[in-house]
């Protein structure tokens, strides 16, 4: 995208958000949020859901990041991103149910304050979570953050060595000062983000198990139809045949060394065991 096009798109977004904020009272409230985990297929699931005629996505982007980095902007600003309630009712004629809207911000699940904010402001919203092999997730996240300029260390092993030092005390600072934004917790927490069970237990305590739907990313990509049908059931949408499945936002990278992989698998083993107990199924990467 050229600089001129990017500036033009930014201007359009600004106008759209201003109009949306002023008309927040007529806007849809999100019925679902894809809250994580980062680099686990959240973009692919969102693009798949957006094809369903019963889903009306927000304007211009999939992730609004209200409950993590922009909470101070207020609820009217947030609602201004979503379609009008009139559009939701118009959907009913086509699919038989009122249209729903939602967004995908995969920092929500890991952010120390986002879960409580969601529970308070969206008491009926349903949360979707995708999980993949935490070793692969960490390696993919490093490549992703490196490419985006948020990770200065080109060595994955060195980035892992620095994680504890970088993130020490950051959750506490964010809790003490809700306006504080932690770069390291958002962009450099490679191991911590893969300890899924800790995050799921916290979400469950805030919103209840019945409002959480967890998807195994490997199963979703290997055989997407059953996984997608289950998502539709969870969201109260009719199953829809005319859906094109694909994989989006993936990055190529060189293979990880067997020694490092073995060390990371050992690190995640107790967390994966707890996850299997919580989930009631063995995740694909441990089968």
């Amino acid at each position: 995208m050229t600089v001129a096009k990017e500036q033009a798109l930014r201007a359009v977004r600004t106008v759209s958000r201003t109009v949306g904020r002023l008309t927040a009272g007529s806007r849809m409230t999100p019925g679902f949020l894809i809250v994580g985990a980062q680099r686990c297929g959240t973009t692919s699931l969102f693009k798949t859901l957006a094809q369903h005629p019963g889903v009306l996505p927000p304007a211009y982007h999939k992730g609004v990041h209200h409950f993590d980095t922009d909470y101070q902007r207020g609820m009217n600003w947030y609602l201004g991103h979503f379609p009008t309630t009139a559009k939701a009712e118009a959907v009913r004629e086509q699919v038989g149910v009122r249209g729903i809207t939602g967004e995908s911000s995969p920092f929500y699940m890991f952010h120390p304050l986002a879960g409580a904010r969601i529970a308070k402001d969206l008491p009926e919203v349903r949360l979707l979570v995708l999980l993949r092999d935490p070793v692969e997730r960490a390696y993919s996240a490093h490549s992703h953050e490196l490419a985006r300029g948020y990770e200065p260390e080109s060595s994955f092993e060195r980035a892992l060595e620095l994680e504890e030092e970088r993130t020490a005390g950051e959750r506490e600072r964010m809790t003490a000062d809700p306006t504080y934004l932690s770069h390291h917790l958002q962009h450099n927490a490679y191991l911590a983000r893969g300890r899924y069970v800790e995050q799921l237990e916290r979400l469950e305590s805030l919103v209840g198990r019945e409002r959480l739907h967890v998807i195994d990313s490997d199963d979703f990509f290997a055989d997407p139809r059953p996984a997608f049908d289950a998502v539709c059931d969870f969201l109260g949408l009719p199953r829809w045949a005319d859906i094109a499945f694909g994989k989006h936002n993936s990055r190529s990278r060189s293979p990880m060394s067997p020694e490092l992989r073995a060390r990371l698998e050992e690190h995640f083993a107790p967390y994966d065991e707890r996850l299997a107990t919580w989930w009631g199924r063995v995740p694909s990467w441990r089968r």
Side-chain angles (χ1 to χ4, degrees):
M1 182 183 296
T2 66
V3 173
K5 285 184 178 180
E6 188 172 347
Q7 290 174 340
L9 181 57
R10 189 179 299 118
V12 170
R13 285 176 175 171
T14 299
V15 172
S16 176
R17 288 167 181 165
T18 300
V19 172
R21 185 169 59 248
L22 295 174
T23 59
S26 64
R27 299 279 165 172
M28 297 173 66
T29 299
F32 73 89
L33 300 175
I34 302 175
V35 297
Q38 181 206 38
R39 307 306 297 163
C40 289
T42 57
T43 298
S44 297
L45 178 60
F46 182 83
K47 287 182 177 293
T48 304
L49 267 172
Q51 297 176 54
H52 195 295
V55 175
L56 300 171
Y60 301 112
H61 48 80
K62 68 182 180 71
V64 182
H65 289 283
H66 171 64
F67 294 104
D68 47 31
T69 60
D70 283 313
Y71 194 64
Q72 74 284 353
R73 292 180 181 267
M75 197 64 177
N76 282 351
W77 175 87
Y78 182 55
L79 293 178
H81 290 78
F82 298 100
T84 63
T85 53
K87 290 184 178 179
E89 287 300 330
V91 166
R92 193 187 300 272
E93 296 182 9
Q94 181 182 2
V95 300
V97 297
R98 188 177 188 271
I100 65 171
T101 191
E103 52 131 338
S104 174
S105 297
F107 190 30
Y108 287 168
M109 186 167 86
F110 186 64
H111 190 284
L113 302 177
R117 292 167 175 173
I118 291 167
K120 171 180 172 289
D121 294 342
L122 299 177
E124 297 180 2
V125 75
R126 291 179 171 265
L127 306 183
L128 297 169
V129 176
L130 293 102
L131 304 179
R132 70 185 287 199
D133 180 349
V135 177
E136 288 294 330
R137 194 222 69 82
Y139 198 32
S140 175
H142 176 261
S143 298
H144 183 66
E145 302 297 354
L146 186 66
R148 298 169 71 204
Y150 295 136
E151 174 55 78
E153 295 290 339
S154 59
S155 166
F156 178 49
E157 289 194 65
R158 179 57 180 158
L160 293 178
E161 291 171 358
L162 290 171
E163 178 174 339
E164 186 173 354
E165 176 186 338
R166 285 167 159 178
T167 60
E170 290 294 89
R171 299 185 72 86
E172 291 77 12
R173 288 186 67 180
M174 295 175 79
T175 302
D177 178 7
T179 65
Y180 174 67
L181 303 178
S182 172
H183 173 92
H184 289 313
L185 208 65
Q186 184 172 2
H187 299 291
N188 311 128
Y190 304 111
L191 297 180
R193 281 202 182 210
R195 297 195 281 265
Y196 303 131
V197 68
E198 297 175 340
Q199 300 161 65
L200 289 167
E201 287 175 343
R202 184 171 68 249
L203 281 177
E204 181 184 15
S205 71
L206 293 167
V207 305
R209 183 66 172 270
E210 69 281 356
R211 286 168 54 200
L212 278 170
H213 182 73
V214 183
I215 305 147
D216 192 303
S217 295
D218 287 342
D219 291 345
F220 175 63
F221 287 118
D223 189 10
R225 173 54 67 181
F228 184 69
D229 284 347
V231 169
C232 290
D233 294 346
F234 176 69
L235 297 179
L237 293 169
R239 297 183 179 187
W240 209 258
D242 189 17
I243 299 291
F245 298 103
K247 194 170 187 178
H248 303 272
N249 206 24
S250 60
R251 292 186 182 275
S252 60
R253 59 195 185 279
S254 58
M256 191 188 312
S257 73
E259 295 78 16
L260 178 57
R261 177 180 293 279
R263 179 156 56 89
L264 294 180
E265 286 178 350
E266 182 179 2
H267 169 83
F268 286 117
Y271 300 100
D272 288 345
E273 185 175 349
R274 283 174 53 197
L275 172 64
T277 300
W278 181 91
W279 199 357
R281 57 173 288 179
V282 177
S284 59
W285 59 91
R286 290 289 178 178
R287 291 175 196 158

